[in-house]
Amino acid sequence: MKLEQALSLSLNREISAEQADRLYAQGILLSKHLFECPGPNCHAQVTCANLDKPRRLRKREPYFKFVSEHAQGCPLEEQSDEEFRRIQNSKTDPEALPFIREDIVDLDLSAPNKRVTHDILATEKDKDSTKRGKRADKEDDDENSKRRHSRKRLSGLVEAFIAKENLILNTVEGNLHLRDFFIKISDKKNLDEYLDEPRVYFGKAWLYIKKNYYLVRFDNEMRIGKLKCKPSFFIPERLVDHSDYQRTSRETLNKIAMAKPLKPLYLFIFSELPPVKKNDGDYINFKLDNLIHLYFLKWGQK
């Protein structure tokens, strides 16, 4: 969902991204991070992405993006969730990277196909029809396989990265080698140096169970200014309830988080923006928009 206006903490009023761009150029706004959700009684943090990027270098005009969780019951959270489900269930995902040649893969963020089958008693005529149908289905699957051979879900992209495959992604920045699309969690450079572009962040991480959510905390630190801490993110209960994968089901996550002793994960999160420092605390957080943006293996399983 495109957020048309956000609450500026500097001006104490709602403004559009276009207005923020003008005010930043005039020196009236000093940070792209000092925005909040305009919803009632909600203080979800908002970033105005690309605000600090010179106009000549922009691939996209500044836009608002939620970077923390909403207050419970915020109507904008419900609208965002509904929009993500609509995108997932559409035939093509407008947030997926553009698809081009065989050696250039497309990250597929659409919902997995679900095929429902029913057991019935079949007559001989039905069986003949079923055989013809299976042949047609196989032909369709073969054709679909040809069309999808260069499309990978996050899991496939991760496997290609681990295998050090020589693949190229076509992103808003242009052609990008697969290895450059993945960013290891570390404090080697300041977060302000990262581009406001989609990337996959990865590293050793721990999963903890809380009352209404799961908490993921990476083992290594990142830094912004003088602050250095281990970045984290929440997996909200509402996302788990709509999980399309067994690996992100409540049963699986509970098993991991409640294991004795607790074991680390080799975890990957697709994020439209780099993690941000919370405006009201010394924390560095990602925001998980959808469980399709999350993939993990047992630590040491590579």
Side-chain angles (χ1 to χ4, degrees):
M1 182 191 72
K2 182 179 179 180
L3 183 61
E4 298 295 339
Q5 292 192 320
L7 176 64
S8 167
L9 298 179
S10 302
L11 304 176
N12 196 30
R13 62 183 174 88
E14 294 179 20
I15 61 173
S16 66
E18 292 78 11
Q19 290 172 311
D21 194 20
R22 290 195 297 270
L23 294 171
Y24 187 84
Q26 295 169 13
I28 297 174
L29 294 181
L30 302 177
S31 173
K32 65 181 179 182
H33 299 300
L34 295 178
F35 297 92
E36 281 189 355
C37 176
N41 302 315
C42 183
H43 300 287
Q45 192 168 330
V46 173
T47 286
C48 190
N50 289 330
L51 186 65
D52 55 352
K53 183 179 291 186
R55 289 180 179 274
R56 68 183 184 281
L57 299 179
R58 290 176 182 171
K59 305 294 193 302
R60 180 177 177 183
E61 291 301 308
Y63 64 98
F64 290 128
K65 169 72 178 174
F66 288 111
V67 291
S68 75
E69 292 298 318
H70 294 264
Q72 188 172 2
C74 177
L76 290 180
E77 178 184 68
E78 296 177 8
Q79 292 176 31
S80 296
D81 286 350
E82 183 62 32
E83 177 68 8
F84 271 113
R85 283 193 287 271
R86 185 192 66 77
I87 290 172
Q88 278 184 259
N89 292 321
S90 63
K91 291 184 179 179
T92 56
D93 181 359
E95 293 190 353
L97 301 174
F99 170 79
I100 45 177
R101 304 193 311 266
E102 290 185 7
D103 58 332
I104 301 185
V105 297
D106 176 19
L107 176 56
D108 185 357
L109 299 177
S110 61
N113 293 327
K114 296 180 179 179
R115 182 173 296 177
V116 179
T117 59
H118 302 277
D119 293 329
I120 58 174
L121 294 175
T123 63
E124 289 303 316
K125 184 177 180 180
D126 291 333
K127 290 178 181 178
D128 289 339
S129 298
T130 300
K131 290 178 181 178
R132 289 195 299 271
K134 285 182 177 179
R135 285 196 297 270
D137 285 345
K138 186 178 187 304
E139 291 172 1
D140 288 343
D141 287 342
D142 290 343
E143 183 61 28
N144 286 336
S145 178
K146 292 176 184 177
R147 289 199 300 265
R148 294 198 305 263
H149 67 284
S150 290
R151 294 181 64 87
K152 290 182 182 291
R153 295 195 180 279
L154 179 57
S155 57
L157 213 62
V158 167
E159 290 168 2
F161 172 73
I162 292 174
K164 298 182 179 180
E165 293 183 19
N166 189 30
L167 296 177
I168 301 296
L169 296 173
N170 183 29
T171 74
V172 291
E173 301 168 64
N175 287 355
L176 187 69
H177 196 280
L178 181 64
R179 65 173 175 267
D180 297 322
F181 192 67
F182 285 73
I183 296 177
K184 187 175 182 179
I185 299 294
S186 75
D187 62 352
K188 289 185 177 180
K189 67 178 184 179
N190 196 298
L191 279 175
D192 285 336
E193 298 177 41
Y194 289 92
L195 296 172
D196 286 342
E197 301 288 357
R199 291 291 187 272
V200 174
Y201 295 81
F202 72 97
K204 184 178 183 180
W206 304 85
L207 177 71
Y208 304 94
I209 188 170
K210 302 295 180 180
K211 184 177 180 181
N212 296 315
Y213 61 91
Y214 299 86
L215 172 67
V216 175
R217 178 170 287 118
F218 284 97
D219 201 56
N220 287 341
E221 295 181 324
M222 299 189 88
R223 66 183 175 91
I224 180 167
K226 295 181 179 180
L227 174 65
K228 283 178 60 175
C229 66
K230 297 177 180 180
S232 59
F233 63 90
F234 301 118
I235 305 178
E237 192 176 47
R238 71 180 194 282
L239 294 186
V240 177
D241 290 340
H242 290 91
S243 174
D244 291 309
Y245 296 105
Q246 178 61 33
R247 70 168 179 269
T248 49
S249 67
R250 188 181 299 277
E251 178 185 5
T252 300
L253 295 180
N254 281 350
K255 185 177 180 180
I256 295 171
M258 299 173 71
K260 303 291 185 180
L262 193 63
K263 297 181 180 179
L265 300 171
Y266 190 32
L267 189 137
F268 300 77
I269 177 173
F270 171 84
S271 183
E272 186 177 334
L273 300 178
V276 300
K277 177 187 177 298
K278 281 184 64 66
N279 286 332
D280 57 356
D282 289 336
Y283 304 98
I284 293 173
N285 290 335
F286 290 94
K287 184 178 185 300
L288 179 66
D289 289 320
N290 194 289
L291 287 177
I292 284 181
H293 298 177
L294 177 65
Y295 186 70
F296 55 83
L297 301 165
K298 293 179 181 178
W299 181 252
Q301 180 185 342
K302 301 179 184 179

